[in-house]
Amino acid sequence: MTTITASVVNKLRQMTGAGMMDCKKALQESDGDIDGAVDILRKKGAAKAAKRADREAAEGLSIAKASADNTYGIVVEVNCETDFVAINKDFVTFANSIADYALENKVADKDALLATAWDGKTLGEVCIDKTAVIGEKIEISNYALVSSEGVAAYNHGANRIGVLVALNSADETALEAGRSLAMQIAAMNPIAVDENAVSEEVKAKELKIGREIAEQEGKPEAMLGKIAQGKLQRFYKDNTLMHQAYVKDNSMTVAAYLKSVSADLNVKSFTRFQLGA
């Protein structure tokens, strides 16, 4: 049997990130062949990862970044199972390297990101390998690329929430307003920019709820439709960005705040990722 030296074990550890005993056993199984040991570790790692596939990975980092010219941005959620791993230096570095790569290469969607070549594998395979090594499920659960005339990015609460705001301008005043609105979106979690962006399904549901509440309160039949419409308007005020009170100045709505910045400035869309949501 081939003698397995400490230096060879260490070399395999550096290549794979696996534990020392796992590396030694793999080298023994492969009779000292490093490539064969790598294959053995990968197979065992995939098996370990498969056992954790159904585990909930609700911790991690949600990272939003905008391009240097602020015409596009990305937001990616890289997950693990515990906050202990989420603050680990290696995990933080890994998550940020994914975000940087996605931004630099303007990766289109999550599937394309997972298929990215990464250390001789795909990024999806690397996540499986890391699951086996770390002992927690590691995955990329959400990813989005947003392009517009201007894009503002904001990260909230130690990267628990990442927000991108698409604007119709990239001048500094507009971007500063966009960053303020990104904070608003992080804190208030609106469902849409305004009532026009709310789905018909949601509108119908809220009207039905409003009508049923009015019925339960004993309101006249002839008034039910009007009351339901009033409750829908209240829903817009609470849940759409433009109608919400501006968090930095509750005396005005977000729409009024935008007008105070520039009459022509508007929010085209926003994307908000929150860990565990």
Side-chain angles (χ1 to χ4, degrees), residues 39-83:
D39 290 341
I40 289 169
L41 286 171
R42 288 194 65 193
K43 290 174 184 177
K44 288 183 176 180
K48 289 181 182 178
K51 291 179 181 179
R52 306 194 73 85
D54 294 331
R55 297 288 293 268
E56 182 180 9
E59 295 296 332
L61 297 174
S62 189
I63 303 170
K65 291 178 179 280
S67 61
D69 63 0
N70 295 109
T71 60
Y72 72 92
I74 63 92
V75 56
V76 61
E77 185 176 340
V78 185
N79 298 102
C80 56
E81 295 178 31
T82 66
D83 56 1

Side-chain angles (χ1 to χ4, degrees), residues 28-191:
Q28 288 171 341
E29 287 183 41
S30 68
D31 200 24
D33 179 59
I34 285 187
D35 290 337
V38 169
D39 290 341
I40 289 169
L41 286 171
R42 288 194 65 193
K43 290 174 184 177
K44 288 183 176 180
K48 289 181 182 178
K51 291 179 181 179
R52 306 194 73 85
D54 294 331
R55 297 288 293 268
E56 182 180 9
E59 295 296 332
L61 297 174
S62 189
I63 303 170
K65 291 178 179 280
S67 61
D69 63 0
N70 295 109
T71 60
Y72 72 92
I74 63 92
V75 56
V76 61
E77 185 176 340
V78 185
N79 298 102
C80 56
E81 295 178 31
T82 66
D83 56 1
F84 177 78
V85 169
I87 62 175
N88 177 271
K89 181 180 178 181
D90 289 341
F91 179 84
V92 172
T93 298
F94 177 59
N96 276 284
S97 66
I98 292 171
D100 290 339
Y101 178 91
L103 183 68
E104 182 179 349
N105 292 277
K106 210 172 183 178
V107 178
D109 54 35
K110 178 181 167 181
D111 287 342
L113 184 59
L114 290 173
T116 295
W118 200 278
D119 293 336
K121 308 169 187 176
T122 67
L123 181 54
E125 290 171 335
V126 169
C127 288
I128 292 173
D129 289 349
K130 285 187 176 293
T131 295
V133 171
I134 294 172
E136 286 195 11
K137 183 178 181 180
I138 306 297
E139 67 175 358
I140 298 170
S141 60
N142 287 307
Y143 172 77
L145 169 70
V146 173
S147 297
S148 188
E149 291 89 343
V151 175
Y154 172 67
N155 296 287
H156 177 76
N159 289 104
R160 295 194 67 83
I161 300 174
V163 179
L164 294 177
V165 179
L167 306 158
N168 65 337
S169 172
D171 67 47
E172 190 49 44
T173 301
L175 291 173
E176 185 60 34
R179 285 187 280 270
S180 293
L181 294 189
M183 295 179 193
Q184 168 106 16
I185 292 162
M188 302 303 294
N189 194 18
I191 65 169

